[in-house]
Amino acid sequence: MRIAEQETVEGVAAGVPFVALPPADREAPAALVAGWHLMEVPASEQAFAEAVPMTGLQAWRVYLGLPLTGARLPGGGPAELFRRASEDAVLNVFEPVTEQAAAEFPAALAELRSRLPGADGPLGVFGGSAGSLVALEVLARGQVAVEAAAVVSPVARLAPVIGRNERLFDVTYPWSPRSRAVADRYDFVRRAGELSAPLLIVAGEADDAAVREPARALREKLGTELVTVGGMAHEFAPGTPEAARVDAAFSEWFARRLRA
């Protein structure tokens, strides 16, 4: 079946699994909006597309699979990923996932533009939680021209989120000089001046302070927009009112900021 006849396109671009939803008008030029899912719900490219479809945008919405998840789980599956995270979440999960996803994005983007009809308009990027680290790192690297970005349940500073996970899982993280350097690198409040596009921040009212407070600090540093979703913690399952609020915020933001 030709891509133009499909409601949803699934495939692999430059080694990256993706789900793509077509623009409202398939005959007109389209923007391209690409993003990365959470490692909590919605924890896959398919689930993120279902939770935040941004229906009605004149844009291809592309949901990219994170490294070490889904089809790219390590040998041993979820148990092996959990083992690695338990051993050192910063060095074994957050750093390799973020670095690989950001590094592979330019090639994946080029292939997506060549394969998705009309997808040669302006670019937006987005992400949730672990995926927000990727979106922010892509902005900071500046290897591709991004017109607008949006993050939800953002990891604006990695170190406090590690503290959240310590409380959540009743563990003590073994900080080392190397992992502290990684956490410092993934402090986007400190690196706010490197972010290369207008940014929307969406945070849950009931999320942990480790997420909410850095999100507010980043908003103040950038002077950008912050949407607080009442009743939402860190996750937002497809079909819930919380997911609908995230979807509405992302949709309005990209419709306002991107013109195909």
Side-chain angles (χ1 to χ4, degrees):
M1 182 180 291
R2 293 187 297 112
I3 285 177
E5 296 175 346
Q6 296 177 326
E7 288 302 319
T8 302
V9 179
E10 295 194 40
V12 177
V16 183
F18 72 88
V19 170
L21 303 178
D25 181 354
R26 302 185 195 188
E27 303 303 317
L32 192 153
V33 182
W36 298 265
H37 57 84
L38 296 73
M39 285 190 172
E40 300 166 73
V41 176
S44 70
E45 57 271 31
Q46 294 85 358
F48 206 10
E50 185 180 353
V52 187
M54 293 180 271
T55 303
L57 276 185
Q58 185 51 27
W60 280 96
R61 288 93 66 214
V62 181
Y63 304 79
L64 301 166
L66 288 173
L68 297 181
T69 71
R72 298 197 283 178
L73 276 168
E80 171 60 14
L81 180 61
F82 182 78
R83 185 197 67 77
R84 295 186 189 188
S86 299
E87 185 179 85
D88 195 315
V90 172
L91 299 182
N92 292 346
V93 178
F94 283 106
E95 182 183 35
V97 166
T98 305
E99 291 299 303
Q100 181 179 337
E104 68 193 9
F105 180 58
L109 174 64
E111 187 169 328
L112 287 164
R113 286 202 186 277
S114 71
R115 288 170 57 182
L116 301 176
D120 53 2
L123 174 68
V125 298
F126 62 93
S129 192
S132 74
L133 276 176
V134 182
L136 293 170
E137 181 65 17
V138 165
L139 288 182
R141 291 187 181 194
Q143 293 175 318
V144 294
V146 179
E147 295 295 321
V151 291
V152 57
S153 302
V155 182
R157 280 181 166 141
L158 180 56
V161 170
I162 297 302
R164 165 195 179 253
N165 291 348
E166 287 181 308
R167 296 189 299 276
L168 191 62
F169 299 110
D170 193 24
V171 297
T172 300
Y173 177 72
W175 286 103
S176 66
R178 184 182 164 202
S179 61
R180 289 191 184 281
V182 171
D184 185 59
R185 188 163 78 248
Y186 297 149
D187 180 346
F188 291 100
V189 177
R190 181 183 62 82
R191 296 174 65 193
E194 299 176 40
L195 302 181
S196 60
L199 177 68
L200 171 71
I201 302 170
V202 181
E205 182 183 49
D207 205 344
D208 193 278
V211 176
R212 290 184 289 103
E213 291 177 3
R216 281 198 297 266
L218 182 58
R219 184 263 175 201
E220 291 170 6
K221 221 33 176 336
L222 294 173
T224 191
E225 295 185 32
L226 171 64
V227 173
T228 300
V229 178
M232 189 176 91
H234 199 69
E235 302 180 345
F236 45 95
T240 61
E242 292 78 17
R245 286 286 308 280
V246 176
D247 182 57
F250 275 28
S251 297
E252 190 278 334
W253 173 257
F254 285 122
R256 179 157 40 100
R257 290 285 178 173
L258 300 180
R259 291 291 184 268

